[in-house]
């Protein structure tokens, strides 16, 4: 369906993995812990294009079948009374930074999930939103829009104010978590509009990206003295978020 040689080349830069944690380089050379083990250094631009073309073909397949669902809603007269929310669980490397598939590589291309919301007469058609949200916000959003209070312990926040046009709604940072014993890594990432920090439990290495001056996330400032203060501030924010996301105990209903 797609010409491999007409698609955009992967976002990458020679030598960019040298300042990244060691599992980045192991994965690139086929020595990572994923089920798929390939030496990505051997792939040509045409072959990377073939990978992307196949992925785009699968996206088109999903798009066609989502269209069937939307057409059925319209035929049944339910379009005006149905909230449709389309999203996914993660992105895909597709050759960006010389990597493929997914794993403990919290680049934007992997952890930024798209979301499309449609509700005629409620969500303005063609609106675009730039607020920071998390997938844990989906449940309280649906409950809010349905007029149902969220149960005790739900950690997300409703995105309904964002969809209604409140420019001040949303989060000031997003938390991303990766726990995989196959990799032997437990990673937590905090992302703000300006920076992204990834902390690996029990490891000396980590990641710190300047999202304003380095939007492609090529340079890791984890050990950069000039970013020491930023690193400390982000570590504190990460700790705050982890404390806030601990499991909530049931509400006490008995007397002391």
């Amino acid at each position: 369906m797609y010409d491999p040689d007409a698609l955009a080349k992967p976002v990458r830069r020679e030598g960019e993995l040298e300042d990244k944690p060691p599992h980045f380089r192991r994965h690139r050379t086929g020595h990572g812990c994923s089920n798929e083990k390939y030496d990505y250094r051997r792939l040509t631009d045409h072959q990377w294009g073939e990978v992307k073309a196949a992925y785009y073909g699968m996206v088109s397949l999903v798009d066609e079948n989502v269209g069937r669902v939307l057409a059925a809603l319209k035929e049944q007269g339910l379009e005006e009374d149905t909230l449709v929310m389309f999203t996914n669980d993660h992105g895909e490397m597709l050759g960006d930074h010389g990597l493929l598939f997914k794993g403990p590589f919290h680049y934007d291309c992997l952890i930024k999930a798209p979301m499309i919301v449609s509700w005629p007469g409620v969500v303005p058609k063609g609106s675009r939103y730039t607020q920071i949200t998390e997938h844990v916000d989906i449940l309280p959003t649906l409950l809010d829009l349905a007029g149902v209070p969220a149960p005790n312990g739900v950690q997300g926040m409703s995105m309904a104010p964002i969809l209604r046009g409140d420019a001040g709604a949303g989060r000031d940072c997003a938390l991303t978590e990766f726990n995989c014993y196959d990799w032997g890594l437990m990673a937590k990432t905090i992302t703000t509009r300006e920076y992204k920090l990834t902390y690996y439990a029990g490891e000396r290495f980590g990641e710190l990206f300047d999202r304003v001056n380095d939007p492609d996330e090529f340079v890791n400032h984890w050990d950069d003295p000039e970013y020491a203060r930023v690193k400390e501030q982000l570590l504190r924010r990460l700790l705050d978020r982890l404390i806030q996301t601990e499991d909530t105990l049931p509400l006490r209903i008995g007397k002391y």
Side-chain angles (χ1 to χ4, degrees), residues 144-164:
D144 186 4
L145 294 172
V148 179
N152 179 55
V154 171
Q155 297 176 350
M157 62 171 57
S158 174
M159 294 181 283
I162 297 176
L163 299 176
R164 295 188 180 111

Side-chain angles (χ1 to χ4, degrees), residues 112-160:
K112 281 188 69 174
M115 179 174 288
I116 303 172
V117 180
S118 173
W119 195 359
V122 180
V123 179
K125 185 177 181 180
S127 299
R128 296 179 67 88
Y129 305 94
T130 61
Q131 287 93 331
I132 297 175
T133 62
E134 298 177 351
H135 268 23
V136 293
D137 299 333
I138 293 175
L139 171 61
T141 300
L142 298 178
L143 293 175
D144 186 4
L145 294 172
V148 179
N152 179 55
V154 171
Q155 297 176 350
M157 62 171 57
S158 174
M159 294 181 283

Side-chain angles (χ1 to χ4, degrees), residues 14-84:
E14 187 68 29
E16 65 170 291
L17 298 185
E18 294 305 312
D19 65 1
K20 306 303 184 299
H23 62 277
F24 283 65
R25 296 183 292 279
R26 290 199 300 268
H27 186 65
R28 175 163 166 73
T29 58
H31 296 89
C33 293
S34 65
N35 293 326
E36 303 87 358
K37 297 182 186 297
Y38 305 99
D39 188 341
Y40 301 131
R41 297 172 299 178
R42 299 182 180 181
L43 295 181
T44 64
D45 282 346
H46 175 75
Q47 289 173 317
W48 281 120
E50 289 182 315
V51 170
K52 185 171 286 190
Y55 189 86
Y56 280 18
M58 291 188 287
V59 171
S60 293
L61 175 64
V62 172
D63 184 58
E64 179 181 348
N65 284 283
V66 170
R68 293 173 57 200
V69 174
L70 298 180
L73 288 173
K74 189 172 184 178
E75 292 170 4
Q76 297 294 322
L78 299 173
E79 182 182 30
E80 300 294 322
D81 194 36
T82 301
L83 166 65
V84 176

Side-chain angles (χ1 to χ4, degrees), residues 81-96:
D81 194 36
T82 301
L83 166 65
V84 176
M85 182 177 288
F86 179 88
T87 186
N88 71 353
D89 55 342
H90 57 77
E92 163 64 47
M93 298 301 296
L94 287 179
D96 286 355

Side-chain angles (χ1 to χ4, degrees), residues 177-235:
E177 301 177 283
F178 180 95
N179 295 327
C180 184
Y181 298 102
D182 292 342
W183 286 84
L185 293 170
M186 299 178 67
K188 308 288 184 182
T189 295
I190 195 82
T191 303
T192 69
R193 294 187 183 278
E194 297 84 15
Y195 302 103
K196 178 191 293 180
L197 177 141
T198 300
Y199 182 87
Y200 296 88
E203 304 291 352
R204 297 181 63 86
F205 54 74
E207 297 155 58
L208 173 57
F209 294 110
D210 186 330
R211 304 183 71 231
V212 175
N213 298 307
D214 179 28
D216 291 323
E217 302 177 298
F218 287 142
V219 181
N220 182 12
H221 294 285
W222 179 262
D223 292 319
D224 187 342
E226 294 187 8
Y227 283 79
R229 184 173 177 80
V230 172
K231 177 180 174 181
E232 179 184 358
Q233 292 173 340
L234 290 173
L235 286 172

